[in-house]
Amino acid sequence: MSTPVRVRFAPSPTGPLHIGGVRTALYNYLFARKMGGQMLLRIEDTDQNRFVPGAEEYILEALRWVGIEIDEGQGVGGPHAPYRQSERRDIYQKEAQRLVAEGKAYYAFDTAEELDAMRKRLEEANAPAAQYNSITRLQMSNSLTMKAEEVQARMDAGDPFVIRLKTPRKEEVRLNDLIRGWVNVHSSAIDDKVLLKSDGLPTYHLANIVDDHLMGITHVIRGEEWLPSAPLHVLLYRYLGWEDTMPQFAHLPLLLKPEGNGKLSKRDADLGGFPIFPLQWTDPATGQVAKGFREDGYLPEATVNFLALLGWNPGTEQELFTMDELIASFDIAQVHKAGARFDIQKAQWFNHQYIRQVADDVLAPTVQQQAEAAGYDCSLEKATKIVALLKGRVNFAREIVTEAGTIFNAPTTYDEAITAAKWNDDAVRAVTAFRDALLPFDGEFVADAIKHTLSNAMQQAGIKQGKIMQAMRLALTGTGAGPDLMLTMEIIGKDETIGRLEKALSTLKSPVN
Ligand code: GLU
């Protein structure tokens, strides 16, 4: 029987979750669901200096907003609680001490000044890598160079110390990444990383490996920025005696700038005026506000669809996917190696596709509110009709009210080019005939009936309807193009329709021809 798939999303609460982090969580989720496995959420908060209040809540809310369901972990609970690393320090200390006892790690007492001096010395000697490693450790203050009594004495005196990994001098470290294939590194390229810090807390590397092992993680799916650490992690699994249950790795491609060159940055977002965070974030220290996809009007379905295709596609033409369809089609082996261009216009296109699918009465209350905030009189019924008329023409729900300007406001000016081209004798006759046909109209003023009235009036006047429609639109809205005109008239109502036709007749007066 094969082990059930267990993946984890393991963010650090150092600020708002980056949209790339949401994509990482999403790929983990899609993979877990596809494989009938489970998705865990672990909070990696062992770096106390970088802890930001509110960040953990933000992460939970962002995942909830995009519809990623956590099976186990922070906020949900489960058999491996606690899921916040800062609450698991005893577990890491035990493993770090075990490594020391087994000769795979050691205590180091070097002060910041001593470490600096070593780095300078090595740099001056043009050493290939100025780092603490299998060679340089022999000149430093650690339990490999000091006598046992001296080590004990320094500990008894309360001298701060760390535990470092005793990296082997000559060993091949290999891993088979599910996306990138084989990665080989020689252990001489790996330094003696600190595993346990002087405050007794583990570093990311130790805590991450210990937890992935104890929590039964089978696949580690994370951003490319962690690929350089992966060989160290393989070494840690080996030293901890857990290599045979080591998870498989999959390192996801970087998100690139909209122009496609270089890593996407906060600066790109500021310059382009687009969000790179799922939700709006107010920095608790500076009060600075960063834009969020949610607050900018993106629907969660559109955000998910956009993110899913940043670095993966199923190899077909299909672009629109519900979460269930993504789960059914997702294949981790199809994730690209090359970085994915963060094309915000594509995100807008997705939003356009999803906005038009939202039921009219769902969008209507917001549109009503926005219309009233803009000073228009708008019943819920009217808002619902406006949504039906315009939702297919916008990228964001808030644009509906803007687009509805020609509905709420009678024209005060008329497009000059359209006037010159289309406001002719036939146009005047047509508008007059239509106005006359509307005056006695006493049925229900709905699109179908209006259409009927118009075509009858044109027939009687002997005017080809196709030739005067733009002039009719000009008279009603002042513009040459827009949404369905019959529905537009239905929404503005009979009296307003007649009023606008009359105003056009008097304002535009006789055509020049
Ligand atoms: N805490 C790490 C981060 O914030 C997790 C990396 C990993 O998934 O191993 O990205």
Side-chain angles (χ1 to χ4, degrees), residues 8-14 24 42-45 85 204 208 212 220-223 225-226 233:
R8 85 305 192 265
F9 180 52
S12 299
T14 54
T24 300
R42 184 173 71 224
I43 301 295
E44 302 208 323
D45 59 346
Q85 289 186 327
Y204 153 72
N208 188 266
D212 280 351
V220 166
I221 304 170
R222 62 184 174 192
E225 65 274 25
W226 298 106
H233 295 173

Side-chain angles (χ1 to χ4, degrees), residues 10 31 57 251 255 259 286 303 359 363 379 412 454 464 473:
F31 181 71
E57 292 73 13
H251 287 92
L255 296 187
E259 310 79 45
T286 63
T303 309
L363 290 172
S379 67
T412 49
L454 176 65
K464 277 218 177 70
R473 182 182 292 281

Side-chain angles (χ1 to χ4, degrees), residues 16-19 255-258 263-277 279 281-283 286 288-292 342:
L17 183 63
H18 191 275
I19 198 75
L255 296 187
L256 304 179
K257 293 181 186 301
K263 198 174 147 200
L264 176 70
S265 70
K266 176 86 176 49
R267 201 176 129 76
D268 300 319
D270 292 344
L271 284 176
F274 58 79
I276 49 162
F277 299 110
L279 317 175
W281 166 260
T282 309
D283 188 305
T286 63
Q288 239 182 14
V289 178
K291 286 156 93 67
F342 193 81

Side-chain angles (χ1 to χ4, degrees), residues 204-370:
Y204 153 72
H205 303 293
L206 178 69
N208 188 266
I209 275 34
V210 169
D211 283 346
D212 280 351
H213 172 74
L214 294 178
M215 295 178 184
I217 299 304
T218 58
H219 295 78
V220 166
I221 304 170
R222 62 184 174 192
E224 183 177 288
E225 65 274 25
W226 298 106
L227 188 61
S229 301
L232 167 72
H233 295 173
V234 173
L235 201 58
L236 271 168
Y237 279 106
R238 191 175 296 169
Y239 272 22
L240 287 160
W242 301 331
E243 206 173 0
D244 48 343
T245 55
M246 184 172 82
Q248 285 203 270
F249 291 98
H251 287 92
L252 306 177
L254 280 180
L255 296 187
L256 304 179
K257 293 181 186 301
E259 310 79 45
N261 52 344
K263 198 174 147 200
L264 176 70
S265 70
K266 176 86 176 49
R267 201 176 129 76
D268 300 319
D270 292 344
L271 284 176
F274 58 79
I276 49 162
F277 299 110
L279 317 175
Q280 186 171 296
W281 166 260
T282 309
D283 188 305
T286 63
Q288 239 182 14
V289 178
K291 286 156 93 67
F293 271 73
R294 181 177 67 183
E295 289 72 13
D296 261 26
Y298 288 90
L299 295 170
E301 296 83 356
T303 309
V304 162
N305 202 150
F306 167 64
L307 290 178
L309 294 181
L310 278 183
W312 168 84
N313 70 63
T316 65
E317 294 292 296
Q318 186 178 353
E319 290 199 277
L320 295 177
F321 293 86
T322 61
M323 189 69 103
D324 284 343
E325 288 169 337
L326 285 173
I327 292 167
S329 328
F330 189 72
D331 180 356
I332 193 88
Q334 279 175 331
V335 172
H336 311 150
K337 286 194 197 65
R341 195 164 71 83
F342 193 81
D343 179 2
I344 198 68
Q345 262 135 32
K346 194 73 196 187
Q348 290 166 5
W349 180 84
F350 277 114
N351 216 51
H352 172 73
Q353 300 299 325
Y354 282 91
I355 284 282
R356 65 196 306 167
Q357 291 177 29
V358 181
D360 300 341
D361 54 350
V362 170
L363 290 172
T366 318
V367 168
Q368 183 191 19
Q369 262 172 27
Q370 290 169 343

Side-chain angles (χ1 to χ4, degrees), residues 348 370 390 393-405:
Q348 290 166 5
Q370 290 169 343
L390 298 176
R393 301 173 64 87
V394 297
N395 291 338
F396 298 98
R398 64 167 180 278
E399 293 170 353
I400 293 178
V401 174
T402 324
E403 278 278 310

